[in-house]
């Protein structure tokens, strides 16, 4: 069973309500009423990652990743095993991290190590129909992978042709999975909004099982490269976060190297629009109750509720962009957990 640590209500593993203290003494309480059970969630597993949707009727998951399976068919992602996991906390809004991930407009100035193994001007961007975005970067001649010296100490994914052996893919599966696919390993970022100005990131490095069979296999060649690059990016994102909260901040145009940022921004607005619509309905219903209380002279008796509903009324006056941001911080649900395939430091991380 599952038990709530607050009031000790208890539930079966399928979510049915089993009972709680002194509820038998509550007149009219029916513990078999499904309304007392836990909320059912829609869950899908894809290549070792679990996705969850809290909406009653989410779109089919196949449409969410439409086309991505075909792109990654030769990599055998479901075979990969995690070797190392790092946790970061970044003083920035989660959207800034995703935007940073999707562009190399900043790479010349910030990532000299990366530019030694891949040109920021290389590769192509994709325009998929699913809820994902991405593209490629190309390794320079002589580089085997993304590492500090360009060498691989792992095993190339079986079945890759010469072109894919020189290609690195970058994908984001909306909203919070970032997927960096190299010829010999995959790095993932799970992006967890903690507050409007704070984001937790779980970064994992996954390798084909053949790599673990090599005597003395050491994944640090990949980990060290991206840990350095991650920290360079996190500092940028933290500084940018300080700027965008200023009332003097004004957005500028995207460059030709930032098409994926524009696509992510449009995608976020489309997905969150439905959440905003639901929130407006809820706010309007709450305001209706408040106005009824006001008519009947009950406003002075509701105390803190009055202030809360006044705040709701202010929220209704916010422009759509502001409201989208408020809703996005708490309502977007994406990757629930990474499924353990036999190795690594963590199998499951609860979703916030």
């Amino acid at each position: 069973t599952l038990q709530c640590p607050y009031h000790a209500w208890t539930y079966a593993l399928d979510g049915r309500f089993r009972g709680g203290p002194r509820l038998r003494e509550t007149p009219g309480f029916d513990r078999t009423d499904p309304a007392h059970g836990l909320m059912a969630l829609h869950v899908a597993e894809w290549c070792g990652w679990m996705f969850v949707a809290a909406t009653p009727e989410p779109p089919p998951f196949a449409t969410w990743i439409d086309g991505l399976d075909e792109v990654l068919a030769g990599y055998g992602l479901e075979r990969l095993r995690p070797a190392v996991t790092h946790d970061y906390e970044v003083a920035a809004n989660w959207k800034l991290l995703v935007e940073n991930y999707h562009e190399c407009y900043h790479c010349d100035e910030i990532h000299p190590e990366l530019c030694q193994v891949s040109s920021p001007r290389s590769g192509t961007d994709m325009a998929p129909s699913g809820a994902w975005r991405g593209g490629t970067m190309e390794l320079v001649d002589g580089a085997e992978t993304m590492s500090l010296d360009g060498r691989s100490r792992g095993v190339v994914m079986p079945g890759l042709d010469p072109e894919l052996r020189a290609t690195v893919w970058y994908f984001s599966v909306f909203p919070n999975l970032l997927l960096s696919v190299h010829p010999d390993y995959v790095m993932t970022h799970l992006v967890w909004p903690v507050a409007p100005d704070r984001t937790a990131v779980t970064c994992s490095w996954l390798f084909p099982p053949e790599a673990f069979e090599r005597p003395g296999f050491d994944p640090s060649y990949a980990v060290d490269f991206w840990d350095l690059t991650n920290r360079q990016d996190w500092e940028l994102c933290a500084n940018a976060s300080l700027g965008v909260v200023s009332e003097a901040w004004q957005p500028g145009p995207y460059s030709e190297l930032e098409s994926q940022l524009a696509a992510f921004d449009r995608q976020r607005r489309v997905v969150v629009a439905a959440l905003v619509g639901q929130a407006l309905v809820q706010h309007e219903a709450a305001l209706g109750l408040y106005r009824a209380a006001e008519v009947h002279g009950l406003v002075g008796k509701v105390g803190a509720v009055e202030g809360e509903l006044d705040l709701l009324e202010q929220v209704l006056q916010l422009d759509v962009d502001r409201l989208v941001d408020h809703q996005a911080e708490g309502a977007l649900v994406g990757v629930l957990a990474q499924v353990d395939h036999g190795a690594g430091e963590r199998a499951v991380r609860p979703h916030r």
Side-chain angles (χ1 to χ4, degrees), residues 205-275:
W205 287 262
L206 302 94
F207 296 81
E210 294 82 2
F212 294 92
E213 297 170 2
R214 295 188 62 180
F217 170 65
D218 183 357
S220 62
Y221 77 95
V223 175
D224 292 347
F225 176 86
W226 280 111
D227 180 63
L228 173 63
T229 306
N230 284 340
R231 295 181 188 279
Q232 292 167 343
D233 281 331
W234 302 160
E235 182 178 2
L236 291 180
C237 293
N239 290 336
S241 190
L242 294 175
V244 298
V245 298
S246 168
E247 293 188 1
W249 176 76
Q250 294 289 335
Y254 289 121
S255 80
E256 62 179 8
L257 299 179
E258 297 175 299
S259 64
Q260 292 299 312
L261 276 66
F264 168 73
D265 194 42
R266 289 192 299 270
Q267 182 182 54
R268 179 182 65 87
R269 290 169 183 269
V270 168
V271 173
V272 177
L275 298 174

Side-chain angles (χ1 to χ4, degrees), residues 44-240:
E45 180 181 345
W46 175 74
C47 293
W49 293 278
M50 291 176 62
F51 291 76
V52 61
T55 51
E57 296 183 6
F61 185 71
T63 66
W64 203 255
I65 57 166
D66 184 42
L68 190 53
D69 277 325
E70 289 78 3
V71 175
L72 296 174
Y75 289 88
L77 297 186
E78 66 282 352
R79 301 175 64 246
L80 304 184
R81 292 165 50 186
V84 177
T85 296
H86 284 186
D87 288 314
Y88 304 87
E89 186 164 296
V90 187
N93 184 276
W94 71 278
K95 295 184 292 297
L96 291 175
L97 274 68
V98 177
E99 291 180 346
N100 169 273
Y101 175 82
H102 269 305
E103 53 93 357
C104 220
Y105 188 39
H106 66 282
C107 289
D108 287 322
E109 301 296 327
I110 306 301
H111 300 311
E113 298 82 8
L114 186 149
C115 293
Q116 288 180 356
V117 293
S118 180
S119 169
R121 307 295 184 270
S122 68
T124 58
D125 289 338
M126 304 183 71
S129 59
W132 56 276
R133 291 293 178 268
T136 65
M137 290 183 70
E138 298 170 4
L139 297 171
V140 300
D141 290 342
E144 299 171 339
T145 191
M146 293 280 196
S147 67
L148 292 174
D149 61 4
R151 293 178 55 202
S152 171
R153 276 78 172 178
V155 175
V156 174
M157 309 284 184
L160 297 188
D161 60 32
E163 181 179 358
L164 291 179
R165 285 172 176 251
T167 300
V168 178
W169 296 89
Y170 297 93
F171 301 107
S172 66
V173 183
F174 193 83
N176 69 329
L177 172 63
L178 308 180
L179 194 63
S180 304
V181 182
H182 304 70
D184 54 336
Y185 67 91
V186 170
M187 178 185 64
T188 65
H189 295 84
L190 301 186
V191 180
W192 309 93
V194 177
D197 59 352
R198 192 156 47 95
T199 302
V201 182
T202 297
C203 186
S204 298
W205 287 262
L206 302 94
F207 296 81
E210 294 82 2
F212 294 92
E213 297 170 2
R214 295 188 62 180
F217 170 65
D218 183 357
S220 62
Y221 77 95
V223 175
D224 292 347
F225 176 86
W226 280 111
D227 180 63
L228 173 63
T229 306
N230 284 340
R231 295 181 188 279
Q232 292 167 343
D233 281 331
W234 302 160
E235 182 178 2
L236 291 180
C237 293
N239 290 336

Side-chain angles (χ1 to χ4, degrees), residues 78-83 212 338-347:
E78 66 282 352
R79 301 175 64 246
L80 304 184
R81 292 165 50 186
F212 294 92
Q338 182 171 293
V339 176
D340 188 6
H341 285 302
E345 301 169 12
R346 178 182 293 104

Side-chain angles (χ1 to χ4, degrees), residues 278-296:
Q278 295 171 12
L280 287 174
V281 170
Q282 294 169 0
H283 291 330
E284 289 170 348
L287 285 171
L289 292 174
Y290 175 63
R291 296 309 176 207
E294 188 176 42
V295 168
H296 291 285

